Amino acid sequence: MSQLPDVSALLPQRPPMLMVDRVVDLREDGCTTLKNISWSEPCFQGHFPGAPIFPGVFIIEALAQTCSIWLSQKSKGALPIFAGIESARFRFKVAPGDQLTLDAQLISEKKGFYTFRAKAEVSGQTACDAVLTICLRDP
């Protein structure tokens, strides 16, 4: 694909719950996106004052949105719903100034449920990996 689509055209989420900034790569079997972690993220007001850590649940959400971006290319108009998580591991803290590279690779599809191997990296080091399931529903 020569020109990558705008994130807001592919996802129903809007700020502050939009966790993906840019699509880097759309492949036949997956997707890569970026999320810049800035000091202005609303979560840093309370997580944690003086020692900011980007919440793991937000990293998982960013990975689920990356999966959903890939699915949006397959099923126009359907709403992607986060349906499951397995084997999530957090390797180190993500903080303001970091850039997450988020990658999702399809590993199976069964009865409208799509399962992905997903990984979030900072500077080539794995910060989080998980197996995520997304389903598509009519809006």
Side-chain angles (χ1 to χ4, degrees), residues 107-127:
I107 53 178
S108 71
E109 185 275 327
K110 186 175 181 182
K111 297 183 180 181
F113 287 82
Y114 297 81
T115 302
F116 295 84
R117 182 167 290 110
K119 178 170 57 170
E121 294 183 339
V122 175
S123 301
Q125 299 282 6
T126 300

Side-chain angles (χ1 to χ4, degrees), residues 48-60:
F48 298 100
I53 298 173
F54 195 64
V57 67
F58 287 3
I59 297 170
I60 294 294

Side-chain angles (χ1 to χ4, degrees), residues 50-54 59 90-96 98 100 122 126-127:
I53 298 173
F54 195 64
I59 297 170
F90 299 92
R91 311 291 179 187
F92 60 86
K93 74 175 188 163
V94 175
D98 288 340
L100 285 174
V122 175
T126 300

Side-chain angles (χ1 to χ4, degrees), residues 19-131:
M19 295 290 149
V20 172
D21 294 326
R22 184 164 53 102
V23 178
V24 175
D25 184 35
L26 276 171
R27 304 177 302 278
E28 194 64 33
D29 67 341
C31 181
T32 303
T33 65
L34 294 177
K35 167 68 176 161
N36 295 308
I37 310 300
S38 73
W39 281 100
S40 64
E41 302 284 347
C43 62
F44 292 134
Q45 293 176 27
H47 199 268
F48 298 100
I53 298 173
F54 195 64
V57 67
F58 287 3
I59 297 170
I60 294 294
E61 177 65 22
L63 289 168
Q65 289 181 20
T66 300
C67 299
S68 296
I69 286 171
W70 184 84
L71 281 172
S72 73
Q73 301 296 294
K74 301 294 179 191
S75 183
K76 304 279 189 235
L79 185 64
I81 304 293
F82 187 22
I85 182 170
E86 299 174 41
S87 307
R89 297 288 181 262
F90 299 92
R91 311 291 179 187
F92 60 86
K93 74 175 188 163
V94 175
D98 288 340
Q99 182 180 66
L100 285 174
T101 300
L102 305 150
D103 189 75
Q105 183 170 348
L106 182 69
I107 53 178
S108 71
E109 185 275 327
K110 186 175 181 182
K111 297 183 180 181
F113 287 82
Y114 297 81
T115 302
F116 295 84
R117 182 167 290 110
K119 178 170 57 170
E121 294 183 339
V122 175
S123 301
Q125 299 282 6
T126 300
C128 173
D129 54 75
V131 175

